[in-house]
């Protein structure tokens, strides 16, 4: 790199348009002649469909058509699932092409969750479609429902899918059970804990939307949709759902209003708007409502866990065993089963060197919305259970929780470190990050604060959340072993225009992470030019070469290196040509700040622009060199990357009301070199707030019939400005050896330890009131009840 | 019903069914898609616009209730693509990530600063109590308002 652009806190170039209201999201698109689609969703958690009467709906003003599952038979294939638990048998009816299945586009005969689409109505206006959808009469016979894994696995439980006896999708394991059990059996101290990591709803501010367009002259489809993975969705939709040639489908992701994992999934609206656009000969738009989102967009977390930690009296952890029941919901979501198993299970040893570890995950179908990713998914659930039981262990042996952590963390000289569950940590100084957090929190003085709080009638609690989070998904062959159907490399293309401007195209898609700015910084740094000369193109399958998408904190740490490698090839080609023009051997040409020069030869130089123009003309190039600068690269990392850090929360609880206040929140992260601190700090702050939402207030609740009791924002709480404290943040920097930039994932990792830190702080505060453990979310009512119950 | 209103300085005369929401009139008829629809219950604040001298959630009003009113949407805040000092501060502090909540946030904060030229942190947070943001954690938004206030004084 030749300029300081990488690492500068440049302002996000897309923000001015957002501030003016000029950013066109998918739901803002208006195509000529566009029709509007509305779903009729199941009103039951589990029911047989006895009949669907669409006659009245068809007579409603403006209605163009109504389709049901029967109408799609033989026209649309079922949805595929592309990440099943690896290495174990996974149960669900396969897709007709033999790949794992994920259920029908519209319900066929049975509905299995409260928001499952049963029919779709298309009308001239959105209001007409909504009104007509209410007139579709669906006759149901309600069936007994199960909403928790425990219920679903019980003998004689209602069955969701004939092909899945006992509702068990998979029993997935990692680690060494025998050794771990032996270590537990002979341990000096054994601590156990049951914890429910509650179901959450991601709730990006923009509900999902899709617009389908069809050109009958060219027989070409265009899908505009809120998708994190346009290329991957293009492949899956064309080949596996619509059954049309890959070449006939273009997928465009307009600016996306937040995602946090939810928009990387295939949803029924995507194939449906395309199918209807072709059959009706007009563009078809669908835009979800908040209620629709909450009833149908993938939900997060939902692990019921039991953990056993064994250790010595003097604070050395010797074994960890975790059993988790993951609530997959009614169908396998596109990548949900893999998220719920591998991402959680392999992560439960956290940043600690634990010699014996084992984890099993029972992935179970229930009559709830399908499970998917939520910011920090899998890793947050693992971190919460491990950090909670570690605190109980520290209390058990009368040790300082921070000291126990520092004692057990993987030391810097043991990298690469195999955690015994399948991850190989890349690099880090985990203890240094924790020490920095303790320092920033003034940890040694917190006992004074505790006494002061007590004098004011408040219970003060301190909680630490230390973590390491697998990111940068991932090496393709490794992900194959994990059960993923698809490559996980990333691609980039750089074209240098004759005047020296640069067009860089990436395969990933921003959902609010400022890609057009941060990726331009990588290119500009590598090329030694001003970032204003670089334009980033993304999110359009016709513009970008290929790509896998934005998930698992992979865009910057897998796509970024692809871009850097492309830029390096550009400079290499320019250098060869410059040496040729300057008449010197190539190794005598230096490149810095936009100029190729020959040390010791005054005036012998060529600028970046000179070379751009020279290669554009193609005159007198070195023998065999092709004209122009147009480089495409693919980066498939040798392994994942593992950002890490430590959070520390200090809470005060009012014993009489149960009200909780976060009085101090410290967060230290290590994501390797930071390309743009303004953007990355924004990711950290937003991630912490997201974690606080789960810790303090968020929970998706179902009743025993599978009705979602929290299907709007009046019943599902999300943090508002006054709920979020200020954060004290710092970073350490340890590059990852697994990519040429040394960068590690940063988009979601700060969510990972939040629930752990807050849960530990709350339980620390409540210890004095006689409460050993309390599950999230920590609402005043829940805390108040726990205190009352503990006091008897 | 036939209604007449002023939207961003332009006179709009329109026949609207009585059940059409103001936000839908703005988005579908006036083609001003700055105001968003982010929830169905008036909780999210992505649809905030100015109506006369107060800010309103335009999903909580019928279009006919705006008959005769002067409406300003985020598109009408500043002319010729210029940003207001508040918008500049939001840009500098990275107070916008995905951008979906931003139009409503900008309108609520503009309203706040007109009522209180130097709000403290608590007042700023209270001023956007009706605007949900899932990306920023609000910190950058608060800092941006503080910056805008400081730059002005």
């Amino acid at each position: 790199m030749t300029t300081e652009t990488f690492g500068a806190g440049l302002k996000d170039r897309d923000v001015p348009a957002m501030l003016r209201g000029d950013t066109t999201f998918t739901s803002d698109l208006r195509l000529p002649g566009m029709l509007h689609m509305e779903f009729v969703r199941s009103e039951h958690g589990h029911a047989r469909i006895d009949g669907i009467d669409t006659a009245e709906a068809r007579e409603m003003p403006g209605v163009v058509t109504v389709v049901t599952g029967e109408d799609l038979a033989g026209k649309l294939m079922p949805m595929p699932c592309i990440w099943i638990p690896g290495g174990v048998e996974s149960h669900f009816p396969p897709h007709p092409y033999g790949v794992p299945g994920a259920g029908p586009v519209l319900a066929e005969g049975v509905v299995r969750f409260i928001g499952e689409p049963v029919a779709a109505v298309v009308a001239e206006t959105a209001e007409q479609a909504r009104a007509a959808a209410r007139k579709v009469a669906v006759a149901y016979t309600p069936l007994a429902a199960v909403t928790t894994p425990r219920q679903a696995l019980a003998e004689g439980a209602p069955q969701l899918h004939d092909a899945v006896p006992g509702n068990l999708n998979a029993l997935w394991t990692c680690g060494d059970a025998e050794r771990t059990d032996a270590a537990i059996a002979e341990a000096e101290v054994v601590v156990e804990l049951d914890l429910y990591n509650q179901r959450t709803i991601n709730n990006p501010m923009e509900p999902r939307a899709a617009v389908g367009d069809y050109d009958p002259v060219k027989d070409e489809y265009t899908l505009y949709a809120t998708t994190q993975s346009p290329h991957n969705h293009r492949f899956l939709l064309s080949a596996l759902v619509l059954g049309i040639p890959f070449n006939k489908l273009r997928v465009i992701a307009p600016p996306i209003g937040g995602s946090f994992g939810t928009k990387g999934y295939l949803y029924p609206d995507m194939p449906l708007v395309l199918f209807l656009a072709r059959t009706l000969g007009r563009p078809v738009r669908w835009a979800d409502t908040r209620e629709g989102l909450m009833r149908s967009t993938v939900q997060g977390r939902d692990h019921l866990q039991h953990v056993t930690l064994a250790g010595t009296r003097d604070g050395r952890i010797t074994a960890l065993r975790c059993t988790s029941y993951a609530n997959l919901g009614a169908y396998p979501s596109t990548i949900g089963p893999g998220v719920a198993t591998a991402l959680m299970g392999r992560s439960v040893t956290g940043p600690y060197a634990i010699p014996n570890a084992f984890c099993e995950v029972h992935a179970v179908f229930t009559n709830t919305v399908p499970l998917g990713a939520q910011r920090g998914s899998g890793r947050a659930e693992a971190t919460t259970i491990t950090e909670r039981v570690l605190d109980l262990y520290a209390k058990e042996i009368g040790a300082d929780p921070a000291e126990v952590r520092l004692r057990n963390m993987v030391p810097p000289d043991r990298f690469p470190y195999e955690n015994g569950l399948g991850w190989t940590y890349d690099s880090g100084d985990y203890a240094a990050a924790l020490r920095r957090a303790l320092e920033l929190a003034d940890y040694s003085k917190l006992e004074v604060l505790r006494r002061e709080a007590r004098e004011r009638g408040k219970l003060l609690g301190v909680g630490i959340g230390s973590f390491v989070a697998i990111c940068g998904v991932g090496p393709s062959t490794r992900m194959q072993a994990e059960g993923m159907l698809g490559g996980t490399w990333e691609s980039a293309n750089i074209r240098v225009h004759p005047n020296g401007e640069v067009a860089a195209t990436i395969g990933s898609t921003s959902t609010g992470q400022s890609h057009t700015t941060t990726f331009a910084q990588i290119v500009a740094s590598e090329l030694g030019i001003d970032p204003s000369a670089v334009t980033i193109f993304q999110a359009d399958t016709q513009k970008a070469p290929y790509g896998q998408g934005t998930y698992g904190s992979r865009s910057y740490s897998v796509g970024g290196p692809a871009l850097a490698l492309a830029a390096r090839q550009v400079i290499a080609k320019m250098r060869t040509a410059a040496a040729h023009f300057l008449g010197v051997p190539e190794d005598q040409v230096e490149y810095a700040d936009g100029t190729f020069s020959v040390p010791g030869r005054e005036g012998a130089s060529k600028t970046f622009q000179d070379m751009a123009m020279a290669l554009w003309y193609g005159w007198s190039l070195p023998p065999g060199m092709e004209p122009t600068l147009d480089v495409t690269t693919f980066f498939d990392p040798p392994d994942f990357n593992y950002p890490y850090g430590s959070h520390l929360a200090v809470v005060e609880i009012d014993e009489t009301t149960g009200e909780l206040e976060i009085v101090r929140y410290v967060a230290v992260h290590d994501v390797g070199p930071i390309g743009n601190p303004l953007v990355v700090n924004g990711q950290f702050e937003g991630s912490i707030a997201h974690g606080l939402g789960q810790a303090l207030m968020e929970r998706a609740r179902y009743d025993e019939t599978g009705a979602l009791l929290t299907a709007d924002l009046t019943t599902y709480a999300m943090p508002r400005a006054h709920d979020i404290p200020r954060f004290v943040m710092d970073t350490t920097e340890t590059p990852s050896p697994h990519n040429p930039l040394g960068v590690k994932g940063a988009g979601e990792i700060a969510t990972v330890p939040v629930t752990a830190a807050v849960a530990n702080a709350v339980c620390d505060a409540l210890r004095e009131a006689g409460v050993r453990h309390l599950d999230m979310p920590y609402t005043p009512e829940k805390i108040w009840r726990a205190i009352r119950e503990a006091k008897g | 019903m036939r209604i007449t209103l002023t939207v961003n300085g332009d006179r709009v005369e329109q026949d609207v069914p009585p059940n059409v929401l103001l936000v839908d009139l703005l988005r579908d008829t006036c083609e001003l898609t700055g105001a968003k629809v982010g929830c169905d219950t008036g909780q999210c604040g992505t649809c905030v616009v100015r109506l006369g001298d107060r800010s309103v959630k335009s999903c909580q009003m019928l279009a006919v209730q705006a008959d005769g009113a002067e409406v300003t949407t985020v598109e009408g805040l500043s002319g010729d693509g210029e940003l207001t000092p508040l918008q500049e501060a939001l840009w500098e502090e990275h107070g916008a990530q995905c951008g979906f909540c931003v139009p409503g946030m900008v309108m609520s904060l503009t309203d706040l600063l007109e009522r209180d030229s130097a709000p403290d942190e608590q007042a700023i947070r209270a001023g956007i109590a009706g605007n949900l943001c899932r990306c920023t954690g609000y910190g950058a938004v608060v800092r941006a308002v503080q910056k805008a206030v400081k730059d002005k004084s």
Side-chain angles (χ1 to χ4, degrees), chain A residues 54 58 65-76 106 119-120 275:
Chain A
T54 61
R58 288 176 190 279
T65 192
V66 182
V67 291
T68 66
E70 270 178 25
D71 302 319
L72 302 181
K75 294 172 180 155
L76 288 182
L106 292 176
F275 170 77

Side-chain angles (χ1 to χ4, degrees), chain A residues 12 28 202 290 698 719 721, chain B residues 36 38 91 121 125 134 138:
Chain A
D12 181 339
D28 297 330
N202 242 318
R290 180 61 53 181
E698 298 185 32
Chain B
K36 306 294 178 207
W91 189 19
E121 180 167 345
R125 290 184 187 267
R134 197 57 145 172
Y138 306 101

Side-chain angles (χ1 to χ4, degrees), chain A residues 469-481:
Chain A
I470 178 182
C471 285
V473 173
S476 298
T477 304
R478 174 58 203 274
M479 289 308 291
Q480 177 193 18

